[in-house]
Amino acid sequence: MVNKSETEDRVIIFDTTLRDGEQSAGAGLTVEEKLRIAHQLARLGVDVIEAGFAASSPGDFEAVRRIAQEVKGPTICTLSRAVASDIDAAGKALEGVKNARIHTFISASDIHLMHQMRKDREAIMDMAVEAVKRAKSYVDDVEFSPMDASRTDPVYLYAMLEAVIKAGATTVNIPDTVGYSNPEEFGALIKGIFENVPNIKDAVVSVHCHNDLGMAGANSLAAVENGARQVEGCINGLGERAGNAALEEVIMSVETRPDHYKVKTGIDTKEIGNTSRMISNIFGFPVQYNKAIVGRNAFRHSSGIHQDGFLKDRTTFEIMEPDTVGWRGESLVLTKLSGRAGLRARLSELGYRLKDDEIANVFAAFKDLADNKAEIDDRDLHALMSEQHRVADTARTYQVETVHVVCGNDTSPEATVTLHCPDGEKRSTNQHGTGPVDAVCKAIDSIIHMDVELTEFSVNAVTEGIDALGDVTIRIEKDGNVYSGRGADTDIVVASAKAYVNAINRLLMIGAQDAGSESTTPKETV
Ligand code: KIV
Ligand code: ZN
């Protein structure tokens, strides 16, 4: 737990990519994927990882438990509603863990109380206090959130914060749950809390802003200006609806403008680029090109006047060096002449620590890629590693063996696909379709016999050039749940086959993880 006295000039970075981020429509991660992300968040140096919502499904419970056991450094936190069964599940998932936090929340605004909770203010206040006391019986580090705080009567909010701090909450988090606020108003709300909650000095004030009006980052920073010392958010701005504050933007704002914010973070900013790409790959959400800090154009200067100034002195048009957020590697390339040691060293710099038994497969895949692509840069390596992880994570499910297509403007597109199936057999089939990708998906359907609807299909080139890897993202829907799949290959039809099979594998794995869940389907979210 970060000590309250240490937080005078330090902002605690609370990452909720694995909880609120996973609530992004069409996300849905396996336990192994969450662990991989959690290890990278630890390398990034976040203070707190909200690893999931333990009571929401057996898969989430297992992810929280394993992350708490295996990831060293950050405090590991799990969310729980202010109900006994949720808090008990949270306590159980974190059992025996030294740096553990339970984050309990309840709605506070009259809109929520009237329409959702159907309880009065007094009853809600009692539930909040009881929840904090119960959480406290499991861990010392308890965070409380009054949901929809920015639309809550401030007088009721102050009273609730005072009561939960008295009950033992060590962090009080102020969510702008629906992204309704603006910097002036939200800053004033935080100021009001410091002025009106008598025991506020006994807790860290945190904020959790959503981005419905594009204000999440600005609102979080306004809160910091007014004394908040924990900011919650997600890498790449993931999260429910329009997402949460993009942590990389908040971090780089305070790191770039210490003169203004007068605070620091414990973040290793050079890990931002790696973290962003890993999360984008695993979630299957590409980062928009002009996204601040992590977009591929974030450090590119294209206008003549800008280039001229930049070449004379980079500070004319650059406020951060790309190097400080981990973009340096773009200029480093590997080729088919590169050796195993060079590949291993570069991957290690990108955050992939390979075991001896893994390097052989990765090196073989690298050589295959290098045969088709002259220069391989960091973006290719991230795509290659994601492909390797997808294959490893789904080893006991379906794998694409071969894909052959016949297509053109004078023939009916036809695909022959061979899959390696979970029972160890290889099965092949041949189907026609409206195009080569449709034919491939139909062939896969006729082997797997799974009734899914393909709802999204997109192809991106990983790098520039005609020999670029094609990175395909596919989303499928079954029983109201959306699953994403991704595949990379220099042949985009093969990449599509891999992505479609990956989406089906993830559906099967997440379904198996959550088998026996008592929660509602789709899995319960906030
Ligand atoms: O947006 C929100 O209010 C939340 C709470 C659970 C903190 O995610
Ligand atoms: Zn949220």
Side-chain angles (χ1 to χ4, degrees):
M1 174 167 33
V2 179
N3 198 301
K4 171 91 172 91
S5 60
E6 287 173 30
T7 62
E8 296 298 309
D9 63 349
R10 166 120 141 71
V11 178
I12 298 168
I13 299 296
F14 177 115
D15 181 279
T16 182
T17 306
L18 297 176
R19 197 280 295 170
D20 215 314
E22 209 215 0
Q23 286 175 217
S24 312
L29 307 181
T30 65
V31 174
E32 294 303 325
E33 288 169 333
K34 289 185 187 178
L35 261 168
R36 199 167 292 132
I37 291 175
H39 280 294
Q40 179 57 31
L41 291 170
R43 280 193 283 275
L44 176 65
V46 304
D47 300 287
V48 186
I49 295 176
E50 188 160 55
F53 182 178
S56 72
S57 71
D60 252 39
F61 181 91
E62 185 57 9
V64 172
R65 196 188 65 75
R66 285 199 51 202
I67 290 170
Q69 296 291 336
E70 294 175 34
V71 176
K72 303 294 169 218
T75 293
I76 306 302
C77 169
T78 176
L79 186 70
S80 66
R81 290 171 302 182
V83 295
S85 55
D86 273 30
I87 296 166
D88 295 345
K92 207 163 153 212
L94 297 173
E95 206 171 329
V97 175
K98 201 163 133 260
N99 291 332
R101 174 182 296 188
I102 295 179
H103 174 192
T104 186
F105 74 98
I106 196 162
S107 289
S109 67
D110 286 337
I111 302 179
H112 280 211
L113 264 53
M114 195 182 308
H115 301 295
Q116 191 182 14
M117 305 300 284
R118 305 212 168 103
K119 287 190 177 7
D120 62 22
R121 287 184 177 188
E122 213 180 309
I124 293 289
M125 181 82 85
D126 289 348
M127 284 175 77
V129 168
E130 282 316 306
V132 170
K133 286 187 180 159
R134 197 171 185 104
K136 210 66 188 172
S137 70
Y138 289 103
V139 290
D140 289 336
D141 190 350
V142 174
E143 173 169 331
F144 173 79
S145 293
M147 188 151 80
D148 204 17
S150 53
R151 293 193 300 170
T152 299
D153 170 7
V155 175
Y156 179 60
L157 181 66
Y158 302 149
M160 185 179 256
L161 296 178
E162 184 180 355
V164 294
I165 294 171
K166 200 163 154 224
T170 42
T171 299
V172 285
N173 179 45
I174 312 303
D176 182 23
T177 302
V178 289
Y180 179 72
S181 205
N182 59 61
E184 200 184 339
E185 213 174 78
F186 200 63
L189 176 65
I190 301 302
K191 187 163 182 274
I193 288 171
F194 278 104
E195 288 169 353
N196 292 286
V197 178
N199 53 358
I200 197 69
K201 62 176 184 340
D202 297 334
V204 173
V205 174
S206 167
V207 289
H208 174 111
C209 298
H210 278 270
N211 205 31
D212 299 66
L213 294 171
M215 298 281 192
N219 286 342
S220 304
L221 290 163
V224 170
E225 288 169 342
N226 284 281
R229 286 296 176 265
Q230 174 175 288
V231 174
E232 303 193 357
C234 297
I235 298 295
N236 297 343
L238 294 175
E240 183 80 34
R241 305 182 311 279
N244 290 74
L247 275 185
E248 65 278 10
E249 294 175 14
V250 174
I251 293 164
M252 289 316 293
S253 292
V254 302
E255 295 287 343
T256 308
R257 297 294 311 274
D259 57 316
H260 180 77
Y261 294 105
K262 300 185 172 49
V263 288
K264 51 184 190 289
T265 70
I267 294 293
D268 178 359
T269 59
K270 285 188 188 300
E271 287 293 333
I272 287 178
N274 288 339
T275 314
S276 162
R277 286 176 193 195
M278 177 187 282
I279 287 172
S280 162
N281 277 326
I282 293 181
F283 272 76
F285 289 123
V287 173
Q288 90 195 46
Y289 285 6
N290 59 331
K291 166 82 181 59
I293 319 293
V294 291
R296 65 164 69 171
N297 287 353
F299 295 98
R300 282 189 178 157
H301 303 269
S302 77
S303 104
I305 294 173
H306 287 217
Q307 285 179 348
D308 176 56
F310 176 79
L311 290 171
K312 288 176 176 147
D313 186 322
R314 54 160 283 277
T315 59
T316 50
F317 287 99
E318 206 169 77
I319 57 165
M320 293 165 271
E321 285 190 49
D323 191 22
T324 53
V325 293
W327 283 120
R328 167 183 52 97
E330 231 82 288
S331 54
L332 278 174
V333 290
L334 298 175
T335 67
K336 66 178 177 185
L337 299 177
S338 304
R340 198 179 280 242
L343 174 66
R344 190 178 202 156
R346 187 74 205 120
L347 286 173
S348 165
E349 282 170 21
L350 295 180
Y352 301 102
R353 312 279 140 80
L354 294 184
K355 300 195 193 97
D356 287 342
D357 57 336
E358 288 169 329
I359 185 74
N361 283 343
V362 172
F363 191 59
F366 167 76
K367 284 286 176 190
D368 277 350
L369 177 58
D371 277 341
N372 291 313
K373 189 168 188 294
E375 294 191 334
I376 297 181
D377 73 18
D378 288 353
R379 294 167 292 176
D380 297 308
L381 292 179
H382 279 291
L384 181 138
M385 285 310 297
S386 302
E387 195 58 49
Q388 290 293 306
H389 286 144
R390 283 191 283 267
V391 171
D393 289 351
T394 55
R396 287 183 302 278
T397 46
Y398 294 93
Q399 303 291 343
V400 176
E401 283 276 325
T402 55
V403 177
H404 295 133
V405 287
V406 180
C407 62
N409 61 357
D410 60 351
T411 183
S412 157
E414 185 183 355
T416 308
V417 175
T418 304
L419 298 185
H420 189 275
C421 300
D423 59 6
E425 295 293 315
K426 286 185 186 170
R427 296 193 178 82
S428 301
T429 189
N430 172 284
Q431 293 285 325
H432 287 264
T434 53
V437 174
D438 185 48
V440 161
C441 293
K442 286 205 168 99
I444 293 169
D445 285 342
S446 71
I447 297 175
I448 301 184
H449 300 296
M450 175 99 47
D451 187 18
V452 298
E453 191 190 343
L454 194 154
T455 54
E456 193 184 315
F457 172 83
S458 64
V459 192
N460 278 296
V462 172
T463 54
E464 306 74 21
I466 196 74
D467 61 352
L469 272 174
D471 182 2
V472 174
T473 304
I474 275 178
R475 286 198 161 72
I476 58 174
E477 197 170 324
K478 184 162 175 62
D479 303 332
N481 290 318
V482 180
Y483 302 87
S484 70
R486 224 158 156 178
D489 200 284
T490 45
D491 181 323
I492 58 166
V493 180
V494 176
S496 307
K498 288 179 178 174
Y500 191 54
V501 168
N502 179 242
I504 292 174
N505 285 340
R506 289 160 56 86
L507 180 164
L508 294 170
M509 290 174 70
I510 292 170
Q513 272 168 204
D514 288 345
S517 168
E518 285 170 18
S519 66
T520 52
T521 305
K523 125 174 157 170
E524 231 163 314
T525 52
V526 183

